[in-house]
Amino acid sequence: MRKILQVVPFIDDHEGQIAQESIDSKWLTEGPKCQDFLRHITEFTGAKFAVLAPNGTLALHLALLALELPPQSEVLLPSFTFFGSASAIVFAGLVPSFVDVDIHSFNVDSEKLEAAITPNTTAIMPVHCYGHSANMDAVMDIAKRHGLKVIEDAAQGYGVFYGRKHTGTIGDIGTISFFADKTITMGEGGVVLTNDEATYLRLRLLRNQGRQNSGTFIHEALGMNYRITDIQAGIGLAQVAKFDAISAHKTRVHALYVEAFSGIGDLDFIEVEKQSTFVPFRFALRTKQKDALIEHLEAAGIQSRSFFYPMHLQPPLRRYSINGPHPSVSERLYSEGILLPIHMNITDEDVAYMADTVRSFFEKT
């Protein structure tokens, strides 16, 4: 039986060769490849400053700490996001406050965002979901009028631009993830972006044991170890060289999905924010028969994923306040959402097979 996997990183001998270079040079911790990767990130995204982090969640944690927000103040974020967005807020000594999202874009609903602001709100964390940007004009307008900081969670946003600005560079600070299922991967890894020099200097202290540079035992501030290895950065350099090919493939395959799946059953698809480019993270579809369709897909050898489980329903997060109306759209998206693979191993024949499989399901129901 055909087996279509959900995640297959696009790696080959190039990544292995670069990793071996670091091993042969005996430079395993942060070194020249990390600096080369950071140089690429600032040039590609347009951010003035960038620091590396072990993963996307810790990148968010670093970003929040660097902003020095008042303890136990509120950070507004969409309920429809990955758990790390909320857990980073909690571990930074802040309070997550969950806001509902738009049913079409899956990104934060700007009207509900503004309605959720309280006297204790100090920041907004928009999440750029599934390969396109949130409406950052609306977010930045709200933030400016209410005096709020903006932390962009662009975990899935490498290569995504809102207007002429790369995601993660529009607010006060932003982060990108390089986990194995992202467009560009290091296996694990992340980066924090900012255009503010004072914030950048705090980031450097926070991530490197309270010192600007390694090799000294005088620590001017409190900090932890958020460094990565040169091996990871080398893999990242090999990956970014493939970005154009990866982006083109994902865009083409997503268009094939839309064409092949249109008109089948009650399926509905993501609507990309008007000013955003699109580097598809997965193929996202919605149906009221989600659970049965997932079972049908798995029986046909097709791995799928559900949409995010809403943050306000997560057991350890239920005690945090929910401002405004109940986030019912986030719950609906979880109850209806299915993600299908869009990695470099997906072929035209795979898309056709998946479409036939989905069509056969609806013909029987």
Side-chain angles (χ1 to χ4, degrees):
M1 181 176 68
R2 185 193 295 253
K3 186 70 173 177
I4 299 178
L5 301 176
Q6 180 69 198
V7 177
V8 179
F10 183 44
I11 55 176
D12 54 32
D13 290 345
H14 191 198
E15 283 82 357
Q17 291 168 2
I18 289 185
Q20 190 62 50
E21 288 175 8
S22 293
I23 294 170
D24 291 344
S25 70
K26 296 181 171 40
W27 202 320
L28 303 183
T29 188
E30 288 191 348
K33 287 184 170 55
C34 287
Q35 291 306 309
D36 288 345
F37 187 75
L38 282 173
R39 196 156 30 246
H40 161 78
I41 289 294
T42 54
E43 290 174 358
F44 182 73
T45 66
K48 289 183 180 179
F49 306 105
V51 301
L52 295 166
N55 54 59
T57 303
L58 290 180
L60 280 173
H61 189 227
L62 263 181
L64 289 158
L65 293 175
L67 289 182
E68 297 184 325
L69 299 170
Q72 295 303 303
S73 62
E74 288 180 348
V75 179
L76 303 182
L77 74 161
S79 184
F80 187 78
T81 185
F82 179 64
F83 189 76
S85 306
S87 64
I89 293 170
V90 174
F91 276 91
L94 303 164
V95 177
S97 183
F98 305 114
V99 180
D100 215 349
V101 295
D102 178 75
I103 189 66
H104 304 294
S105 71
F106 314 159
N107 284 320
V108 69
D109 184 316
S110 57
E111 291 184 4
K112 295 175 182 176
L113 181 67
E114 186 156 25
I117 295 171
T118 75
N120 193 40
T121 304
T122 56
I124 302 170
M125 182 187 287
V127 178
H128 305 301
C129 188
Y130 294 163
H132 74 131
S133 175
N135 183 342
M136 289 304 294
D137 284 341
V139 170
M140 296 305 294
D141 176 65
I142 292 168
K144 183 177 180 180
R145 286 190 286 106
H146 293 273
L148 306 176
K149 296 291 188 180
V150 175
I151 307 103
E152 294 178 71
D153 182 347
Q156 300 169 353
Y158 179 89
V160 176
F161 288 78
Y162 183 81
R164 296 185 177 182
K165 294 184 178 180
H166 194 285
T167 53
T169 70
I170 304 166
D172 295 278
I173 201 163
T175 66
I176 300 173
S177 171
F178 301 109
F179 182 62
D181 67 348
K182 301 301 189 289
T183 299
I184 297 301
T185 183
M186 297 179 179
E188 290 279 9
V191 69
V192 186
L193 310 172
T194 186
N195 293 316
D196 181 71
E197 186 172 10
T199 302
Y200 169 63
L201 294 175
R202 286 195 296 273
L203 285 167
R204 286 175 57 92
L205 292 172
L206 285 164
R207 70 179 300 275
N208 192 33
Q209 307 282 17
R211 53 192 176 176
Q212 290 290 345
N213 299 293
S214 298
T216 178
F217 293 103
I218 300 174
H219 303 255
E220 60 184 280
L222 287 173
M224 292 290 287
N225 181 352
Y226 288 81
R227 298 189 301 269
I228 71 167
T229 70
D230 239 33
I231 295 173
Q232 287 171 275
I235 292 171
L237 288 167
Q239 286 276 294
V240 297
K242 300 174 179 178
F243 171 71
D244 288 345
I246 294 171
S247 178
H249 175 83
K250 287 189 163 193
T251 301
R252 189 183 69 82
V253 170
H254 193 276
L256 284 177
Y257 265 119
V258 172
E259 181 181 4
F261 281 62
S262 292
I264 299 177
D266 66 343
L267 299 186
D268 198 7
F269 316 123
I270 193 171
E271 292 184 14
V272 177
E273 180 65 37
K274 290 180 181 178
Q275 295 193 60
S276 176
T277 60
F278 187 39
V279 183
F281 175 67
R282 301 277 206 283
F283 180 65
L285 59 89
R286 291 167 42 222
T287 173
K288 289 183 171 59
Q289 302 188 62
K290 166 195 164 183
D291 292 338
L293 179 53
I294 286 178
E295 185 176 345
H296 183 76
L297 290 166
E298 294 289 340
I302 301 166
Q303 286 189 346
S304 63
R305 291 286 188 275
S306 174
F307 281 10
F308 296 125
Y309 188 64
M311 292 302 101
H312 67 279
L313 298 180
Q314 295 283 357
L317 299 176
R318 288 178 184 170
R319 65 190 180 94
Y320 295 101
S321 64
I322 302 171
N323 291 317
H326 197 57
S328 57
V329 173
S330 299
E331 293 182 18
R332 180 178 170 187
L333 288 175
Y334 174 72
S335 70
E336 297 180 352
I338 301 174
L339 298 172
L340 293 176
I342 203 165
H343 51 75
M344 293 294 284
N345 285 25
I346 298 297
T347 65
D348 294 16
E349 292 74 20
D350 290 333
V351 174
Y353 173 69
M354 286 185 275
D356 288 343
T357 302
V358 172
R359 189 177 293 108
S360 70
F361 168 81
F362 282 101
E363 287 173 350
K364 294 176 183 178
T365 57

